[in-house]
Amino acid sequence: MEHLERADERVFRAVQDETARQLGQLEMIASENFVSPAVREALGTVFTHKYAEGLPGRRYYGGCEFADEVEELARSRATRLFGADHANVQPHSGAQANMAAYFAFIEPGDTILGMNLNHGGHLTHGSPVNFSGRLFKVHAYGVREEDGRIDYDQVREVARRCRPKLIMTGASAYPRTLDFGAFGEIAAEVGAVHVVDLAHIAGLVAGGHHPSPVPHADVVTTTTHKTLRGPRGGLILCRAEHARIIDKMVFPFIQGGPLMHVVASKAVALGEALTPAFRDYGASVVDNARALARALMARGVRLVSGGTDTHLLLVDLRDRDLTGKDAEQALERAGITVNKNTVPGETRSPFVTSGLRIGTPALTTRGMGTDEMKRIGGWIADILERPGDTARIDGIRGQVTELCAGYPLYA
Ligand SMILES: *Cc1c(COP(=O)(O)O)cnc(C)c1O
């Protein structure tokens, strides 16, 4: 980065500081990951210069032959990876992918059914502070208070009552396997379009560690930067019959020119996701999450649903005199980065909360395994027991730094 260093000292410094931060702490935010050097290199290429509105072979600009090539690679790898008929790789983000999916099928004022945000849903699934909550009539399903799992009878009952035009399946904080077949049946019964938002678990589905939604959904949206381990961005998969409308909703309805450097990088990441090494990676992500769950539960830490099938756990702090906000801060002091999260039945505000969301995708990319998860689980339990004991937390910080030094990011 010699050019950046010379041209803009302050931005260069911030990049150096951020690099050191990422290396020196335990990244356990469930939605984050570390991309490969190849994926990152593609992001810094000359494709950022190129306007390529339209689709491969049908562009509004000249000079698109190589843009066509990378976009075609990304599309064909995406459809092969997930077994889908059609892919649009242009959404700038997961939120954009969802917006395109909604407008492909419904109009403002129509009714949607999505997962309650406090139970693990996403803002774009009908929150009042998001376009989805402003434009659509929103009904929600949730999880059972007793076992933290989705109550499919309740989903069916709400769907029969509210007759949604579209059912949005998927979550940002649900640690258990989603039964896409059950959602698909309910959608068919009430005549709703079925959209699955795979943002968090796309990498697990790609590797065969979570059942695929593709046979049960009209459209599947996802981010590319979470477990899928690609650049920050979105992706839409759909049945052949919906290909035209989905493509038209991404451009020109909600977006302008695609970020071609990101599309090139998505192609690289999707290529990586097709390899046996990526399948192994996904298996380790889930093994690590289970090992972490066991270590925490052995120390009396309560988890929503009593464990995990995926890459994330949801700690329920309601049996303690500790908020999610304070727990997040205490862990951050120790160099363990997580996020506070609402839990089912939440009584506190989203800025305070009674839970923590913890994920293993990033540490697994760094090469850590179940032994490390056991140690980290012990540290987290120590801190949750005595969140005010700064001397003890600072001692753990030292051990975290040592552990990180053994797992360089780009070795
Ligand atoms: C992360 C996430 C999104 C949004 O992705 P952005 O790229 O941040 O817009 C959408 N849906 C779900 C379920 C998510 O977890």
Side-chain angles (χ1 to χ4, degrees):
M1 290 202 297
E2 66 276 17
H3 296 285
L4 181 57
E5 185 172 13
R6 255 185 279 121
D8 195 324
E9 168 68 19
R10 291 174 72 183
V11 171
F12 175 76
R13 232 353 83 226
V15 174
Q16 297 303 103
D17 289 347
E18 174 62 8
T19 307
R21 188 194 69 80
Q22 290 185 14
L23 279 166
Q25 47 96 52
L26 294 172
E27 183 51 74
M28 303 190 84
I29 293 175
S31 50
E32 294 192 13
N33 211 331
F34 300 120
V35 300
S36 74
V39 166
R40 239 175 34 159
E41 267 180 20
L43 278 173
T45 61
V46 293
F47 275 117
T48 196
H49 304 151
K50 190 70 201 99
Y51 248 113
E53 284 176 353
L55 289 164
R58 288 186 287 135
R59 304 282 192 186
Y60 292 81
Y61 289 83
C64 285
E65 57 197 293
F66 305 114
D68 282 3
E69 194 170 326
V70 289
E71 185 163 351
E72 204 46 77
L73 280 170
R75 293 206 298 187
S76 61
R77 288 172 182 172
T79 51
R80 185 145 48 99
L81 184 62
F82 292 100
D85 293 344
H86 179 74
N88 186 301
V89 297
Q90 294 186 4
H92 300 331
S93 70
Q96 251 56 58
N98 283 345
M99 194 180 219
Y102 284 122
F103 285 122
F105 301 105
I106 62 174
E107 296 291 332
D110 283 344
T111 299
I112 64 169
L113 175 59
M115 191 167 182
N116 185 329
L117 189 62
N118 278 344
H119 289 211
H122 188 260
L123 287 164
T124 56
H125 298 185
S127 162
V129 300
N130 179 262
F131 78 90
S132 54
R134 172 90 70 94
L135 296 182
F136 308 124
K137 288 198 201 91
V138 181
H139 291 259
Y141 58 86
V143 300
R144 274 187 299 258
E145 191 71 44
E146 314 89 78
D147 64 359
R149 294 178 190 243
I150 289 172
D151 182 345
Y152 293 93
D153 293 332
Q154 188 225 356
V155 180
R156 183 174 293 105
E157 188 215 310
V158 179
R160 281 177 180 163
R161 205 162 5 96
C162 75
R163 309 302 291 187
K165 274 208 170 161
L166 184 150
I167 295 180
M168 182 58 101
T169 301
S172 297
Y174 186 64
R176 294 300 184 173
T177 302
L178 286 162
D179 186 346
F180 296 125
F183 278 105
E185 272 175 30
I186 294 166
E189 185 194 317
V190 301
V193 172
H194 187 209
V195 178
V196 173
D197 179 347
L198 209 56
H200 259 263
I201 55 172
L204 303 183
V205 169
H209 314 295
H210 187 291
S212 170
V214 169
H216 309 290
D218 292 288
V219 174
V220 176
T221 63
T222 182
T223 58
T224 46
H225 51 274
K226 297 179 184 175
T227 51
L228 196 53
R229 210 162 65 176
R232 193 160 287 283
L235 167 68
I236 305 179
L237 306 162
C238 66
R239 299 213 176 115
E241 68 199 90
H242 303 311
R244 248 178 77 83
I245 186 70
I246 285 292
D247 287 343
K248 279 165 70 173
M249 289 302 109
V250 174
F251 171 85
F253 193 69
I254 63 167
Q255 291 189 175
L259 312 174
M260 287 313 300
H261 56 305
V262 181
V263 170
S265 183
K266 285 172 182 170
V268 178
L270 290 161
E272 290 177 358
L274 283 160
T275 62
F278 189 81
R279 181 172 280 264
D280 295 345
Y281 162 70
S284 300
V285 167
V286 177
D287 284 348
N288 281 344
R290 292 213 172 105
L292 184 65
R294 275 195 303 276
L296 289 170
M297 289 190 298
R299 292 281 305 273
V301 176
R302 264 175 51 181
L303 300 182
V304 173
S305 86
T308 181
D309 303 322
T310 65
H311 63 297
L312 70 83
L313 350 162
L314 210 49
V315 174
D316 185 346
L317 297 166
R318 284 176 303 177
D319 58 336
R320 297 163 191 252
D321 186 22
L322 178 63
T323 66
K325 182 176 178 220
D326 291 340
E328 177 191 300
Q329 273 168 11
L331 289 168
E332 179 150 27
R333 185 179 176 114
I336 299 171
T337 310
V338 302
N339 64 277
K340 60 181 174 286
N341 211 97
T342 54
V343 292
E346 182 63 68
T347 52
R348 295 189 168 108
S349 96
F351 298 104
V352 181
T353 81
S354 308
L356 290 175
R357 191 182 65 165
I358 308 181
T360 55
L363 293 189
T364 307
T365 295
R366 253 181 115 159
M368 293 186 195
T370 52
D371 289 343
E372 287 72 38
M373 295 306 126
K374 231 162 137 180
R375 284 186 75 193
I376 295 166
W379 293 333
I380 293 173
D382 284 347
I383 294 165
L384 296 182
E385 261 164 30
R386 303 228 297 271
D389 189 344
T390 51
R392 194 163 177 219
I393 293 174
D394 292 344
I396 293 172
R397 181 60 173 117
Q399 291 177 273
V400 164
T401 303
E402 224 172 273
L403 177 64
C404 288
Y407 291 89
L409 237 187
Y410 293 111

